[in-house]
Amino acid sequence: MDIEMSIAAMSMSMAQANMQDALAVGMLKKTMESSEASMDMLTDMIDNMPSPDGRGTILNTLA
């Protein structure tokens, strides 16, 4: 009977570990999407920043 309990405990531990891994991956994905959106907004802001002399933009991010 001990071996059945060990197998059941191992199965529960593995299921819990899989759930924790899935949660960690989901949180990482949300963090990466948020960072990407922030960087896109920053890049757009830099693209639209006028130069001090009025002859173009300060930084060409496409170059």
Side-chain angles (χ1 to χ4, degrees):
M1 179 139 171
D2 277 337
I3 194 136
E4 288 101 5
M5 302 261 313
S6 295
I7 292 172
M10 185 178 67
S11 176
M12 289 176 61
S13 294
M14 289 175 63
Q16 184 178 9
N18 286 341
M19 184 188 69
Q20 289 174 343
D21 286 347
L23 179 63
V25 169
M27 295 287 285
L28 180 61
K29 182 180 177 187
K30 291 288 184 188
T31 301
M32 289 176 65
E33 289 171 353
S34 176
S35 295
E36 185 178 358
S38 296
M39 295 312 300
D40 286 344
M41 289 186 341
L42 184 61
T43 302
D44 288 343
M45 185 176 70
I46 291 171
D47 282 343
N48 294 318
M49 185 184 304
S51 67
D53 62 6
R55 289 191 277 167
T57 56
I58 291 176
L59 179 65
N60 183 359
T61 57
L62 299 177

